[in-house]
Amino acid sequence: MRYADDSEGRGMAVDGEVVRGSGEADEPGWEVDPDDEWGVAVITTVGRQLKLRREAVEMRVCDFARAVGYGEDLVYKVEAGRRIPRREYLERADEVLGAGGLLAAAWEDVKRVRYPRRVRELAKLEAQAVEIGVYESISINGLLQTPEHARALFEAWQPAYSEEDLERVLAARMARQSVFDRSPAPALSFVLEEAALRRRVGSTMVCRRQLERLLEVGRLRNVTLQVMPTSSGAHPGLSGRIEILKFADGTAMGRSDGAYNGRPTSEPKQLRILELRYGTIRAQALPPAESLTLIEHVLGET
């Protein structure tokens, strides 16, 4: 299983999403991450339940596959715990096998592991953080992206995603935005490069909606949104993204593309360096009010 970061590369980051499975892209469902022990256990158990229920009614795989409208190969893989079934598969299986809702209810467990472990860990960290600070060097951060903007980015990947994989990574990215719905709300700060605002991603309407979304988020009381103008000089973020997450117990975690091999760190000395760099970036960026004015200006030009 390969991983892509939130915007520009194909390596796991604190702001990462899972990418595509290897092959079989035409089949409904998703590949199981073999390194995700909990996910493997859940999918194996669900697959076993499906198989036992099918055998209990003495239905052959070929007949079951025909009844649910999927290929026999997929049925074998789901029952063997090698393929994550989609919700509609479980609902159709429940109906065909007369399970009275038991198989359909398995979706509550499946949906928790449909995104690989690292993505779930990221979402969990963001859900626990009381402060999140992000500087993005070349793109708009995933927490700020509209679905249409994110889709356009994913559609630009090479090699291309299958439609199944594209829907999966898109859903994962959008699910992380539940951080805006938390109560009490975390303190969120973002610094974006002006060039990212002007980069044409998708159609004109997609670009306009993305800029409008930035204005909406930037006006939230718990959000500080700043723009680094292209006219600014050199700053500590030119080597790449910086992310810092702080938690209620006083601990923190951060990473930077230009430090510590891009790996997440919770070591106090390294965190202080990242905080120093991020603070310097925020000091050099436009103040929030001027940043929103610039975004409005770019929107007017779009």
Side-chain angles (χ1 to χ4, degrees):
M1 184 71 72
R2 294 178 294 168
Y3 294 91
D5 71 10
D6 180 64
S7 54
E8 62 268 14
R10 292 244 175 190
M12 184 62 200
V14 174
D15 191 22
E17 327 271 25
V18 64
V19 300
R20 45 191 295 157
S22 54
E24 304 169 317
D26 59 324
E27 296 181 358
W30 302 296
E31 292 289 336
V32 178
D33 181 355
D35 296 325
D36 182 0
E37 294 181 3
W38 182 52
V40 169
V42 169
I43 300 308
T44 299
T45 299
V46 171
R48 186 180 300 115
Q49 292 174 345
L50 285 163
K51 182 178 181 179
L52 290 174
R53 178 69 63 167
R54 176 181 59 77
E55 292 177 340
V57 298
E58 299 182 347
M59 180 176 285
R60 297 180 303 171
V61 169
C62 60
D63 296 327
F64 174 74
R66 189 179 307 109
V68 297
Y70 293 107
E72 292 182 36
D73 190 49
L74 175 63
V75 173
Y76 280 118
K77 289 173 181 174
V78 168
E79 292 186 353
R82 293 191 292 114
R83 193 78 170 174
I84 303 174
R86 300 188 67 173
R87 184 172 190 169
E88 52 268 31
Y89 181 98
L90 293 172
E91 292 176 343
R92 184 63 180 145
D94 191 281
E95 179 183 346
V96 169
L97 300 177
L102 293 177
L103 294 178
W107 174 249
E108 292 302 311
D109 295 316
V110 172
K111 72 179 182 181
R112 294 186 177 93
V113 299
R114 57 180 168 163
Y115 310 131
R117 173 172 48 84
R118 296 185 189 182
V119 178
R120 296 199 305 271
E121 291 173 350
L122 168 63
K124 182 178 180 180
L125 288 172
E126 289 175 340
Q128 294 174 343
V130 295
E131 294 183 37
I132 300 176
V134 182
Y135 161 74
E136 282 286 356
S137 58
I138 62 174
S139 66
I140 293 173
N141 184 262
L143 290 175
L144 301 174
Q145 293 173 7
T146 64
E148 296 78 14
H149 181 98
R151 178 182 289 275
L153 288 176
F154 286 132
E155 288 177 343
W157 287 126
Q158 291 297 328
Y161 290 126
S162 70
E163 188 61 28
E164 292 290 339
D165 289 332
L166 189 150
E167 293 301 328
R168 187 184 187 192
V169 295
L170 180 61
R173 181 163 295 182
M174 293 302 102
R176 289 178 44 235
Q177 295 186 7
S178 62
V179 69
F180 290 104
D181 302 323
R182 284 174 48 195
S183 180
L188 307 173
S189 67
F190 301 92
V191 181
L192 306 175
E193 288 285 347
E194 180 182 350
L197 305 179
R198 298 183 180 279
R199 179 170 294 111
R200 189 175 185 85
V201 177
S203 67
T204 298
M205 288 307 299
V206 169
C207 293
R208 290 186 60 84
R209 182 65 190 97
Q210 179 60 69
L211 292 170
E212 291 169 351
R213 172 60 177 166
L214 293 178
L215 292 173
E216 293 171 5
V217 174
R219 295 186 178 114
L220 295 176
R221 287 181 296 174
N222 64 311
V223 175
T224 301
L225 179 61
Q226 295 177 260
V227 176
M228 181 70 75
T230 53
S231 59
S232 66
H235 61 76
L238 293 180
S239 59
R241 177 192 306 153
I242 296 175
E243 304 162 304
I244 299 174
L245 282 71
K246 297 183 179 180
F247 307 99
D249 62 0
T251 61
M253 185 180 74
R255 75 167 294 277
S256 171
D257 291 340
Y260 320 122
N261 296 318
R263 296 172 181 171
T265 179
S266 57
E267 201 279 319
K269 181 178 179 180
Q270 295 177 346
L271 282 173
R272 284 195 295 271
I273 292 174
L274 295 184
E275 289 177 349
L276 174 62
R277 293 180 181 180
Y278 186 59
T280 303
I281 291 171
R282 294 188 66 183
Q284 288 186 233
L286 295 176
E290 293 181 27
S291 295
L292 293 181
T293 298
L294 177 57
I295 295 173
E296 290 174 340
H297 179 72
V298 176
L299 176 60
E301 295 179 338
T302 303

